[in-house]
Amino acid sequence: MSVVLGYDESPGAERALHVALEVAAAFGEPLVLVYGAAAPGPTGEEYRAHREAVRQAGRSALAQAVRAADEAGVPSTVEVADEKPAQALLDAAARHHARVIIVGSWGDSPIRGALLGSTPHKLLHLSPVPVLCVPTEPAPADRHRPS
């Protein structure tokens, strides 16, 4: 089994990384770091150039997460997929027999997520495995705990 994390260097993803490392360490399972790099537009040279730029951004973002996993002693695997983030995470979860998919939340309202199709919203409705959505901001009780 594994813990799958959607990671893109956003504030929500940064916080989700810390939670994912705790979960992976607690269960003694590897962390699968996933970046969905689907580029808009179906054809042409512009598409290929954009696709490669997005893939490179994903590899760069995931390198920081790999360093954090190494420091925490959690083995990790990296996947940059040519899919939209939700589908990339669902596919990785199936391939790696995920115990859970972890993603950060931007703090959008549930209605905005439903209308715009946020990755956490899609995962909550489509995933056959549990999904843990980590809020960008710590809970009020967490703000008073020493780090």
Side-chain angles (χ1 to χ4, degrees), residues 94-147:
R95 274 193 311 281
H96 295 278
H97 309 288
R99 173 182 299 274
V100 63
I101 298 172
I102 300 177
V103 290
S105 168
W106 279 88
D108 287 337
S109 72
I111 292 174
R112 180 178 165 90
L115 292 174
L116 298 179
S118 72
T119 297
H121 188 265
K122 288 177 186 173
L123 290 171
L124 288 169
H125 290 282
L126 299 174
S127 179
V129 300
V131 175
L132 174 58
C133 295
V134 179
T136 301
E137 296 295 322
D142 291 344
R143 292 184 188 134
H144 302 291
R145 275 194 231 156
S147 298

Side-chain angles (χ1 to χ4, degrees), residues 61-114:
L62 293 174
Q64 187 276 333
V66 168
R67 283 191 295 277
D70 289 346
E71 289 172 10
V74 173
S76 63
T77 301
V78 169
E79 292 192 10
V80 177
D82 287 330
E83 298 175 298
K84 293 187 179 192
Q87 191 60 51
L89 290 163
L90 291 168
D91 291 348
R95 274 193 311 281
H96 295 278
H97 309 288
R99 173 182 299 274
V100 63
I101 298 172
I102 300 177
V103 290
S105 168
W106 279 88
D108 287 337
S109 72
I111 292 174
R112 180 178 165 90

